[in-house]
Amino acid sequence: MASHLTIRNLTSTAIEIKVVERYVPPAEQASSSSLSSSSSSSSSNKAFAIFGNVTATVSDFVRNSPAPSSAAIAEGVQAFTSQDVSIRVGPLCVCVTEVDPANVTAKESVRLTFEAEGGERFRVDTTPSSLTQTQTRTHASTEAVPLTPNPSFRYTAVYLAQHALLTLFSSANLGSWMREFHDETPLSALSIPGTHNSATCHRALPSVRCQAVGVTEQLDNGVRFLDVRVQPDDAANPAKDTLMLVHGVFPISLTGFKYFRDLVNEVTAFLDRNPSEAVIMSVKREGPGEHTDAQLSRRLRDHYAGDVGRWFTAPRIPTLGEARRKIVLIRRFALDDSLKSECDGQGWCINAEAWAYNTPHDTCPSGRVCVQDFCEVMESENIDQKIGYAQQGLNRTACCVCAVPIASPSTTTITTTTSNDQTPTEQSTPPPPPSPPPPFYLNFLSASNFWRTDCWPEKIAAKLNPAILEYLCRRHNQPDALVAVDGERRDPGHGSTGVVILDWVGHRGDWDIVRCIVGWNVRLEMREKGRVGE
């Protein structure tokens, strides 16, 4: 464990820790008196240890209520240390403090008060002894109380006890987080949470089920990429529209078939409620029986995705404005000959039909999709190899720099930049040709082995998701993590995660990794809002 607390502020504004208080349960207070005495003699420039062995999520704010946010503290327990401190951490900055890590064995609770811009204060209580959950959940959530009425900011805090690292993210409204970005933003420039075999939340074979919750709950909690596998029924009949949801050769539910039509209705209903959002949908043909990619492509075109008001089916990366309130279709199937001539011969939809199977890194021939999909984890010991490939995928996207619209703080002029410096320059007249958007970087965190119970999707997700959560908090877009990306040194870029595609997200209400992925849009958001010079 590190000897001092490090704070990584991945928000667009500076924060300052103002007060640190430490508590112990009533039974421990007598034995803590000597520790309190010792602490009171410490330098006034030192803040006391905060947080215990927990990853804490600051979300679901309790508005307009000054009540303590921890039941243990609310029961009248008095702080045995309380100190005013001043520890400022700028936006997108890392600060190594003089704060000692918490002594978890002392069963301490710590209340941290910090201040954001405009003097708004927030309070976080942690009780490590009550946050020891199950082996599959390595972190827990806690509420933060805004001490200022109608606060302008929301935060997600993640504490990695092993590294004594506290990382702060801005907490977006996960139901409509895309509304913070300009219409001109390339959709592929965003950090996007996704799910693998998205509809497989039903009672099914353990190797078939990949999700804990349904698609609507996923979308409401920030997911914007859906991976869907379908089996055409009566494929030779062009009048039929039936597409059954499958995973490999298996149906996704033991209680009966589930259908693509119902899934599409769920997605469009979500988009109607949240018109600022866009949903990327990757569709692949699987399942037993006689059917072809060409038949699937015609069925999708004729019965589902022909409505250009609800589907984006051009063979290119759209801007966010083009994609809002639509499903952006990525096809993992070949086209019927009648569809190959669409869009001046480029074909129908974004083409991802030919990435290599079980690949640690591949680019589709279209150039519009790059993928990490190393999926065959034959032994549980190989999960570390999968984690390494996923981290390499994050590094590739982190160092990308995309042309994005920038709003000057002093004017309404929209400018663009492709450089790494933080000073926007207005476009000359006439403006230069726009830079092409980056491809979609699809980074699958999924893997399985049908024959090994310890390599089924839920078991792998229980190890992989926390490992990537830690990486996003601790090393993502750090220079030391980018020293060898595809054999060459890279500089930090916009810090995008690309599309991170998850299994078993939302299990027991845990959306922390989704919040972290969305939080990594911070640099892009700062540039668009003219805060790049901070």
Side-chain angles (χ1 to χ4, degrees):
M1 179 180 289
S3 59
H4 294 99
L5 177 72
T6 297
I7 300 174
R8 192 178 188 195
N9 179 13
L10 295 177
T11 77
S12 61
T13 59
I15 62 102
E16 185 175 355
I17 298 173
K18 304 295 287 187
V19 181
V20 179
E21 301 166 280
R22 181 177 293 179
Y23 300 79
V24 293
E28 307 289 332
Q29 284 191 352
S31 61
S32 69
S33 59
S34 61
L35 176 60
S36 175
S37 174
S38 173
S39 298
S40 64
S41 64
S42 299
S43 168
S44 61
N45 291 327
K46 276 196 176 183
F48 289 93
I50 59 177
F51 294 103
N53 187 15
V54 60
T55 300
T57 298
V58 184
S59 57
D60 303 327
F61 284 80
V62 182
R63 296 182 180 275
N64 303 318
S65 172
S69 57
S70 167
I73 296 178
E75 291 170 355
V77 181
Q78 296 183 348
F80 75 85
T81 64
S82 178
Q83 187 168 10
D84 294 335
V85 297
S86 178
I87 304 175
R88 185 185 185 278
V89 188
L92 303 180
C93 289
V94 178
C95 174
V96 180
T97 73
E98 294 184 348
V99 176
D100 296 326
N103 182 355
V104 179
T105 59
K107 300 181 181 180
E108 297 164 342
S109 298
V110 175
R111 172 171 292 169
L112 170 69
T113 301
F114 65 94
E115 189 171 275
E117 277 189 358
E120 294 184 7
R121 287 198 174 194
F122 300 85
R123 187 174 67 205
V124 182
D125 297 337
T126 65
T127 310
S129 60
S130 69
L131 292 174
T132 301
Q133 305 273 323
T134 66
Q135 290 183 348
T136 58
R137 181 177 171 112
T138 59
H139 56 282
S141 299
T142 188
E143 294 180 350
V145 178
L147 304 181
T148 305
N150 303 313
S152 304
F153 304 101
R154 301 173 67 188
Y155 295 93
T156 294
V158 178
Y159 181 66
L160 304 176
Q162 180 181 358
H163 306 286
L165 173 69
L166 175 68
T167 304
L168 285 177
F169 295 92
S170 295
S171 289
N173 180 344
L174 292 181
S176 56
W177 62 265
M178 287 180 168
R179 68 183 177 184
E180 301 297 330
F181 301 94
H182 291 313
D183 282 350
E184 296 85 357
T185 303
L187 189 59
S188 57
L190 295 171
S191 297
I192 296 176
T195 50
H196 161 250
N197 270 293
S198 304
T200 59
C201 62
H202 306 280
R203 190 160 67 91
L205 297 174
S207 59
V208 170
R209 184 176 178 181
C210 298
Q211 299 304 326
V213 302
V215 165
T216 294
E217 188 171 348
Q218 293 173 29
L219 296 172
D220 286 339
N221 285 280
V223 169
R224 295 295 179 269
F225 175 96
L226 302 177
D227 170 41
V228 182
R229 320 294 173 93
V230 298
Q231 174 189 332
D233 181 47
D234 193 7
N237 185 350
K240 292 290 290 291
D241 69 352
T242 305
L243 295 172
M244 297 174 290
L245 299 173
V246 294
H247 181 182
V249 298
F250 300 103
I252 66 169
S253 173
L254 293 175
T255 61
F257 285 112
K258 306 298 179 182
Y259 295 96
F260 185 66
R261 176 70 68 188
D262 296 327
L263 173 63
V264 170
N265 289 341
E266 278 192 75
V267 176
T268 55
F270 167 80
L271 292 171
D272 286 341
R273 296 192 304 271
N274 301 278
S276 62
E277 306 306 287
V279 175
I280 305 165
M281 184 181 291
S282 166
V283 177
K284 182 186 179 188
R285 180 180 61 89
E286 291 184 351
E290 296 184 0
H291 40 74
T292 67
D293 280 2
Q295 291 167 334
L296 171 60
S297 68
R298 285 281 10 155
R299 185 163 291 190
L300 280 172
R301 177 70 165 76
D302 295 342
H303 297 286
Y304 292 91
D307 182 358
V308 296
R310 302 314 306 260
W311 294 77
F312 182 90
T313 56
R316 59 178 176 80
I317 305 294
T319 64
L320 187 51
E322 292 176 306
R324 294 193 199 275
R325 200 171 169 267
K326 295 180 183 179
I327 300 172
V328 178
L329 185 57
I330 295 179
R331 61 176 176 90
R332 294 185 64 186
F333 51 84
L335 292 176
D336 183 79
D337 288 343
S338 62
L339 299 177
K340 293 178 181 178
S341 61
E342 293 206 1
C343 299
D344 298 323
Q346 297 182 66
W348 188 61
C349 301
I350 298 169
N351 182 0
E353 66 177 280
W355 77 58
Y357 176 71
N358 199 38
T359 179
H361 176 55
D362 192 25
T363 300
C364 293
S366 68
R368 294 186 174 93
V369 177
C370 296
V371 64
Q372 179 282 120
D373 191 18
F374 179 79
C375 58
E376 290 192 354
V377 175
M378 305 312 294
E379 306 285 344
S380 59
E381 292 80 7
N382 298 140
I383 293 176
D384 286 342
Q385 184 180 16
K386 172 68 177 182
I387 291 171
Y389 288 144
Q391 291 172 348
Q392 291 171 23
L394 290 171
N395 292 342
R396 289 187 187 96
T397 56
C399 59
C400 289
V401 177
C402 177
V404 294
I406 295 179
S408 169
S410 59
T411 70
T412 58
T413 302
I414 299 295
T415 65
T416 62
T417 182
T418 59
S419 67
N420 269 317
D421 64 59
Q422 298 193 3
T423 304
T425 57
E426 291 193 5
Q427 293 178 340
S428 59
T429 305
S435 299
F440 283 118
Y441 284 90
L442 307 184
N443 196 349
F444 284 83
L445 302 195
S446 54
S448 67
N449 178 356
F450 180 85
W451 305 107
R452 291 290 302 265
T453 59
D454 56 349
C455 292
W456 285 346
E458 182 181 5
K459 299 294 182 63
I460 289 181
K463 296 180 179 180
L464 204 63
N465 292 356
I468 298 304
L469 172 69
E470 176 180 327
Y471 192 82
L472 291 171
C473 294
R474 180 171 169 246
R475 300 198 65 206
H476 185 62
N477 209 37
Q478 290 281 67
D480 67 329
L482 303 176
V483 293
V485 177
D486 296 328
E488 58 183 89
R489 181 180 180 85
R490 302 284 188 90
D491 294 322
H494 282 168
S496 172
T497 67
V499 183
V500 181
I501 303 166
L502 305 151
D503 275 348
W504 281 87
V505 70
H507 184 44
R508 297 177 179 169
D510 179 9
W511 299 98
D512 289 359
I513 192 168
V514 170
R515 290 191 176 277
C516 290
I517 293 166
V518 174
W520 265 108
N521 286 301
V522 58
R523 190 179 295 274
L524 188 66
E525 184 179 352
M526 288 176 68
R527 285 174 174 268
E528 291 195 3
K529 293 184 176 180
R531 306 189 66 153
V532 294
E534 294 197 31

